[in-house]
Amino acid sequence: MTTARTTRFPEQVAAPGKGGVGESPLRPDGTLKVKGEFAYASDLWMDGMLWGATLRSPHPRARIVSIDIAPALALPGVHAVLTHEDVPGRKMYGLDHTWDQPVLAIGEVRHHGEPIALVAADHPEIARRAVAAIAIEWEVLEPITDPIAVIEDPERLKVQERGGIARHQPVRTGDLAVGRALAEVVVTEDYTVGIQDQAFLGPEAGLVIPGEDGGLDFYVATQWMHNDLSQIGPCLRLPPEKIRMTLAGVGGAFGGREDLSMQIHAGMLAMYTGKPIKMMYNREESFFGHVHRHPAHMRYEYGATKDGKLVYGKVRIVLDGGAYTSATLNVTGNASSLAVGPYEIPHLEIDAYGVYTNNPPCGAMRGFGAVQACFAHESMMDKLAEALDMDPVRVRQINAVSQGSKLATGQVLHAPTPMAEMLSRAKAMPLPEPLDAADIRNLPGGASQTTHGEGVVRGIGYGVGIKNICFSEGFDDYSTARVRLEVIGGEPVALVHTAAAEVGQGLVTVEAQIARTELGIERVTIHPADNGVGDAGSSSASRQTYMTGGAVKTACEAVRETLLKRAAAQGHPAVALIGGKVVSYTGEVLAAIVDILGDEFIEETRTYSHHRTTGMDPVTGQGNSHTQLALCVHRAVVDVDTELGLVKVVALDAVQDVGKIMNRLSLEGQIHGGAVQGLGLAVMEEIQVRDGKVRNPSFTDYLIPTILDTPPQRLDILENPDPRAPYGLRGAGEPPTLSSTPAIVAAIRDACRSAGGTVHITHVPVRPEDIIRSC
């Protein structure tokens, strides 16, 4: 089952070696980024522009008694100081039409770092001084920071008037009492996940330029221009046609750019001053300027028979959304629907809560609710295996889903789902060489020489992640593409125009590959992404290759159909386009595309939608809520210094089913990158929050993996096409982020167990003291 392919007709075949689907052409932006020549949003510049800056709250919860902007306005070089009173239109914005986040604080602040006032000045240093000169009198209030307390008393512990709970999503199937009667072994545990930051390297930045028509031109780093537009327009009181958005260079995203950051603020300053405004956060402000991964408190109870078959599960997941809604509603839905992962459990009682607190706002991040659940359900599978004295791979295989299985929500897996085989393949992968303690760089702690091999124990662990692809729960998910085919310099050239955000994932490369494949040409130009074409949706949920790829494919098919009709009208009854020629079904070249086109062009715009999903029943959680589901299996090998609590991840091998390899080079990069992000959550990444205040807003104190922390990663990539998806592909960027974290933690537990410890590691990231206590 390693490779499953369908017969391809001539019109689907790309000329070999020309960069079509299935090949690995180099990214057009790759060399520029490696050489430091790529223009990111923070590099934007315009003569006469002013610099914008933001005053942010030092308190997680407080009332603003008074605010005095006069000292800031008095500074030479300051052109504007604005508060919520200066918002031209609607004073609130938010994802998914929640509209609960103030553009600037109105009377009170609800989280540390909330924006209060804006400054525009001739120089960034003047802007910073002006921000510091604004005088505020505060009434500091006791912050609400305990999400468990919120769900126990949501009416009293309210951060917002709407109540303490943003969403409660239950999932019910079977009969828990029946399941408990069948259970011969019961395991329970509480798990917690800390706040992880997206840690993209390019801070929030953009340039907004006033237009002669009273509109604004935005050049911003974002993940979804049209969603930005739907929030910016009402707040600035501008119609959509007066807002022109162009994607600026994006230095990573991972969900952190779905919410607005500086867009409305820069727009306000540009409208007020009549001058171009540049805003660029420094690293500390970036930690306050975007949402993070939801921290989670999770309680799990599983019952199984003695032969390892799960019979019931009782789960409670509490996600701390912070002060505002952002993506909490959808993250909660994801967590509830995927709470028990890719396992068949007949009797389930699941409750997932997304709550409001005065902690930092949390929203979209790679894995989107499934990461937190995956750490818990995979830890439970290991705990069950230990209780049964059973191999952890075997207990997973006994309960694994397959094609035709039902998830907890009743959704049937319609596509091939070879999870049991994937686990076998992961287990069969070669193991790394035994520890070589002679070279201290191979030891936990590395060249810091904290150990010379004493107390170092090796462990092996497994993790399986299942992630929804594309938007879910009945969302009208679609993408639009415009494709133009014409002759330039004597060659056929395609221009592909979408609003899809290239955030580092390689979408522009795949768009060109699809156009080459569908049109049988070599030269493809990707138009800069802007809102001059229809909505492409967000660069999130591993959806852009599926959705915008599907839109480009559909638009190319329309162009091809028109060209073939034109060829037939000219006496060339062709059925395919290959190598710049129109070709008969037998492969006979009938004419050149350039001769058929002549001086004319063909342009088609198409919108692509996936098959419809449904919402989750508010009482039972049942429904076909997901478009597609993708699996990844990880096996981690770690060396643990049981005396010092240090960990070195020695190997992080993966088996992933991607449906169709569109571009192997980009795909491998996505799997590698996702796994390393999961590694960070497993052993080092956590925003430290105490009493609602962020204590480590810097890459000095918030640690992310470097190349020295990144182990070799052997990949086994399967292609089992999804019949509903373009080319049969499955989104691939997120699943490895899920499975790598529990695999690493399982390996740490295995090492501690081998050292004779009483293992109890239930929090990620795993801290040295957790290991010392367990080993």
Side-chain angles (χ1 to χ4, degrees), residues 432-449:
E433 294 295 321
L435 173 66
D436 178 11
D439 188 341
I440 59 172
R441 293 173 297 180
N442 296 328
L443 298 171
S448 58
Q449 298 187 32

Side-chain angles (χ1 to χ4, degrees), residues 171 337 407-412 473 613-617 620-626:
V171 177
S337 66
L407 296 178
T409 58
Q411 181 160 359
V412 176
E473 296 195 63
T613 59
T614 66
M616 298 176 68
D617 185 279
T620 67
Q622 299 300 290
N624 294 314
S625 59
H626 296 310

Side-chain angles (χ1 to χ4, degrees), residues 220-243:
V220 295
T222 180
Q223 287 180 246
W224 190 355
M225 279 182 286
H226 282 78
N227 197 50
D228 289 4
L229 176 64
S230 70
Q231 299 170 78
I232 294 168
C235 292
L236 297 183
R237 197 174 289 168
L238 287 175
E241 63 270 16
K242 290 294 184 74
I243 300 176

Side-chain angles (χ1 to χ4, degrees), residues 90-418:
R90 192 167 188 165
K91 293 179 183 287
M92 311 291 281
Y93 70 96
L95 285 178
D96 301 325
H97 308 292
T98 50
W99 301 95
D100 66 347
Q101 190 158 351
V103 173
L104 294 168
I106 305 171
E108 66 176 297
V109 294
R110 295 181 176 88
H111 70 89
H112 186 200
E114 181 160 355
I116 301 168
L118 307 172
V119 169
D122 291 330
H123 189 276
E125 183 56 37
I126 297 173
R128 285 191 286 270
R129 291 176 184 173
V131 163
I134 298 171
I136 298 181
E137 181 183 350
W138 297 99
E139 179 189 351
V140 178
L141 304 173
E142 183 72 22
I144 297 169
T145 60
D146 184 353
I148 301 298
V150 171
I151 66 168
E152 293 173 349
D153 194 355
E155 289 305 311
R156 184 177 66 86
L157 299 175
K158 293 194 298 187
V159 170
Q160 299 199 31
E161 285 305 312
R162 65 180 62 193
I165 298 175
R167 180 178 182 181
H168 168 215
Q169 180 58 61
V171 177
R172 302 287 188 270
T173 185
D175 186 326
L176 202 66
V178 172
R180 281 187 163 137
L182 295 171
E184 298 171 291
V185 176
V186 175
V187 289
T188 62
E189 191 58 84
D190 289 348
Y191 299 99
T192 54
V193 175
I195 304 178
Q196 186 180 23
D197 187 64
Q198 293 85 351
F200 43 72
L201 297 186
E204 293 82 351
L207 178 68
V208 180
I209 304 170
E212 294 181 358
D213 64 347
L216 296 172
D217 291 278
F218 285 78
Y219 299 86
V220 295
T222 180
Q223 287 180 246
W224 190 355
M225 279 182 286
H226 282 78
N227 197 50
D228 289 4
L229 176 64
S230 70
Q231 299 170 78
I232 294 168
C235 292
L236 297 183
R237 197 174 289 168
L238 287 175
E241 63 270 16
K242 290 294 184 74
I243 300 176
R244 296 166 291 273
M245 302 193 73
T246 301
L247 184 70
V250 182
F254 311 113
R257 301 186 200 269
E258 281 200 20
D259 295 77
L260 297 180
S261 57
M262 46 64 63
Q263 288 93 321
I264 298 175
H265 296 165
M268 286 176 59
L269 292 170
M271 293 177 71
Y272 188 89
T273 63
K275 293 179 177 291
I277 298 291
K278 178 175 181 177
M279 295 191 79
M280 181 178 71
Y281 295 173
N282 62 22
R283 182 56 59 190
E284 179 177 344
E285 186 173 16
S286 181
F287 271 89
F288 297 105
H290 64 260
V291 297
H292 315 286
R293 187 186 302 287
H294 289 74
H297 298 254
M298 301 173 288
R299 175 166 294 168
Y300 275 64
E301 177 185 325
Y302 278 1
T305 61
K306 289 182 179 179
D307 60 2
K309 186 63 178 175
L310 284 164
V311 291
Y312 84 87
K314 181 176 171 59
V315 175
R316 187 187 74 177
I317 298 174
V318 181
L319 300 166
D320 185 349
Y324 300 111
T325 305
S326 182
T328 293
L329 304 180
N330 297 323
V331 171
T332 304
N334 255 27
S336 62
S337 66
L338 301 174
V340 296
Y343 301 103
E344 295 181 332
I345 308 178
H347 306 287
L348 285 168
E349 184 178 299
I350 299 167
D351 290 280
Y353 299 86
V355 305
Y356 298 109
T357 68
N358 292 118
N359 292 321
C362 292
M365 185 177 171
R366 193 178 200 164
F368 205 79
V371 162
Q372 297 90 326
C374 185
F375 169 60
H377 67 64
E378 289 305 283
S379 296
M380 287 296 287
M381 296 307 287
D382 288 331
K383 193 175 185 70
L384 178 61
E386 184 179 12
L388 294 167
D389 194 24
M390 185 179 290
D391 179 82
V393 169
R394 181 61 189 147
V395 78
R396 286 171 167 84
Q397 290 176 321
I398 290 170
N399 296 284
V401 295
S402 58
Q403 188 171 13
S405 294
K406 286 185 179 181
L407 296 178
T409 58
Q411 181 160 359
V412 176
L413 298 174
H414 67 272
T417 311

Side-chain angles (χ1 to χ4, degrees), residues 298 423 668:
M298 301 173 288
L423 281 158
E668 291 178 351

Side-chain angles (χ1 to χ4, degrees), residues 44 77 118 159 166 199 265 279 326 365 468 472 476 498 564 679 743 751:
L44 294 168
L118 307 172
V159 170
H265 296 165
M279 295 191 79
S326 182
M365 185 177 171
N468 63 303
S472 301
D476 185 16
T498 77
L564 291 175
L679 183 157

